[in-house]
Amino acid sequence: MNSTDVPRLSVRSPGDLIAAVPYLLGFHPADSVVVVAMHGKRVTFAARSDLPDPREPVEAAERMAEPARPVDEAARHLAAVVARQVADRATVLGYGPASRVTPAVDAVRAALADAGIPVLDALRVTDGRYWSYLCDEPECCPPDGTPYDTGSSKVTAAAVFAGQVALPDRAALAAQVAPVDGPERVALRQATERAGRRLADLLDSAPEADVLGGRTVRAAGRAAIRVAGRRHRNGERLDDDEVAWLSVLLTDVAVRDHAWERTDGRDADIALWTDVLRRAEPEFIAAPGSLLTFAAWRAGHGSLAAVALERVLTLHPGYSLALLLDDLLRRGVPPAHLDGWPAVRLPGVVRRRKRGRRGPR
């Protein structure tokens, strides 16, 4: 499941809404159920999940309990996410064949009703046509569906003008965070070996007072983060040794947290951590991938956050920051809850206080 907060788009018809969905999600959905939430007359939020297979029940919590269907579990999840947003109504759209879309849409409608969210319409979208589950008037909702043309919609034009991008599918979105390969990967592997030797030399040269080299590593990490941020703000790209050195230093939690406090939803943040995630060696992607997830979520790019987080958790399923962000995305916490970051707390996180110098006893 993924969700996003995006610049609001005004819609006047089901065709306009269908045209808006790919820009709300960042890609054209398929085999999906999407809930588009509205506040007043404006679209404010969209959440998507894959169409579940209604033939496969989830195991009951107790042997004698009635097993829950995946379609119902997914519906309740979507409704709970939407309920946390600034929304007073919603429309449900299912993409795919009627045999799979209908039970999913029905379940989501029921879950939204239980959550107190009125459903304006429920649509099935397939092969350039849509059908409404709430309208049976042949004059406006013909049995063979209503054709739509997203290319001629003003919503499409407005989204493109605003810089919104709709990729062909979710796989195209995932490709944006996929690791580089070929000669570039070989060069980065060699750069990471050099970074490892550089770190060992740094620790060997640490002052005696810095017993484990922690202060020395943190100082190097802050310097690397400062340089990387400045380079990306100026539209420059880090070289292989800079990427490798930064990725190695980010394994120190204090260095990672220093980067985290300086990461928000700025374009430069997203560009930096996307680049480092794609180029870092697999064992070092947890921190940059989590930082990209956070930056994308703060910017309202929920789908990008989801695919970045998926990469991290696939290779590093126990990484604490990734698990925290996974919970954040699954609960549908709105990015606006962290306006003022890092002065405000991330929901569910108790941040450590920095120790000040002790005064004289």
Side-chain angles (χ1 to χ4, degrees):
M1 199 284 294
N2 55 328
S3 59
T4 183
D5 243 346
V6 296
R8 294 176 179 177
L9 299 172
S10 180
V11 299
R12 294 179 172 81
S13 69
D16 282 346
L17 184 62
I18 294 168
V21 166
Y23 297 95
L24 296 170
L25 298 176
F27 61 92
H28 290 266
D31 295 324
S32 303
V33 59
V34 177
V35 178
V36 177
M38 302 181 70
H39 183 65
K41 296 182 178 180
R42 290 186 176 272
V43 172
T44 58
F45 178 85
R48 184 206 73 91
S49 69
D50 294 331
L51 287 176
D53 189 340
R55 298 171 299 178
E56 297 180 4
V58 174
E59 287 188 14
E62 300 178 3
R63 187 181 299 273
M64 299 301 294
E66 183 69 21
R69 297 183 306 162
V71 67
D72 297 320
E73 294 289 333
R76 284 193 288 269
H77 188 189
L78 277 175
V81 168
V82 174
R84 293 188 179 95
Q85 315 308 315
V86 180
D88 51 26
R89 64 197 73 185
T91 294
V92 184
L93 302 93
Y95 294 79
S99 60
R100 294 186 64 201
V101 167
T102 301
V105 169
D106 287 346
V108 172
R109 286 171 56 196
L112 288 170
D114 290 342
I117 301 172
V119 175
L120 293 177
D121 205 348
L123 307 173
R124 179 168 71 87
V125 184
T126 309
D127 297 331
R129 291 178 176 269
Y130 67 85
W131 290 258
S132 172
Y133 288 98
L134 303 186
C135 175
D136 56 6
E137 297 293 333
E139 293 80 9
C140 59
C141 302
D144 59 349
T146 303
Y148 65 90
D149 179 11
T150 57
S152 62
S153 172
K154 292 182 179 179
V155 170
T156 300
V160 172
F161 182 77
Q164 298 291 306
V165 176
L167 297 172
D169 50 33
R170 193 175 186 274
L173 185 67
Q176 293 189 340
V177 299
V180 299
D181 56 13
E184 189 173 5
R185 173 53 57 202
V186 173
L188 284 159
R189 189 175 302 121
Q190 294 168 349
T192 303
E193 292 172 357
R194 292 192 295 271
R197 294 192 294 270
R198 181 180 175 184
L199 180 61
D201 292 341
L202 181 69
L203 292 173
D204 287 342
S205 65
E208 289 185 9
D210 189 8
V211 179
L212 298 178
R215 291 197 298 273
T216 301
V217 170
R218 288 192 289 274
R222 287 193 292 270
I225 291 164
R226 185 168 56 252
V227 169
R230 183 172 63 247
R231 292 280 300 276
H232 269 265
R233 285 193 298 273
N234 293 335
E236 301 171 0
R237 191 176 189 234
L238 303 183
D239 63 33
D240 291 347
D241 284 303
E242 289 172 320
V243 167
W245 182 232
L246 180 57
S247 69
V248 168
L249 291 170
L250 284 169
T251 59
D252 183 280
V253 174
V255 173
R256 183 208 67 192
D257 286 353
H258 182 79
W260 187 18
E261 290 187 346
R262 282 150 184 78
T263 296
D264 204 345
R266 296 174 291 261
D267 290 345
D269 292 334
I270 293 174
L272 169 61
W273 298 122
T274 299
D275 188 43
V276 178
L277 171 61
R278 297 197 66 206
R279 297 166 67 194
E281 284 291 276
E283 60 265 39
F284 297 112
I285 69 163
S290 297
L291 293 168
L292 172 58
T293 298
F294 182 76
W297 171 73
R298 284 288 289 144
H301 303 316
S303 297
L304 177 59
V307 294
L309 187 61
E310 192 174 277
R311 259 209 78 193
V312 173
L313 289 175
T314 297
L315 293 179
H316 304 276
Y319 192 66
S320 60
L321 180 54
L323 292 173
L324 170 67
L325 294 170
D326 185 48
D327 179 64
L328 196 76
L329 266 63
R330 288 181 182 278
R331 289 191 290 123
V333 176
H337 281 200
L338 251 67
D339 286 350
W341 170 263
V344 296
R345 288 182 178 179
L346 190 69
V349 175
V350 177
R351 301 179 67 189
R352 293 171 297 181
R353 293 182 179 179
K354 294 182 179 178
R355 293 182 178 179
R357 293 183 178 177
R358 291 183 177 180
R361 291 186 177 181

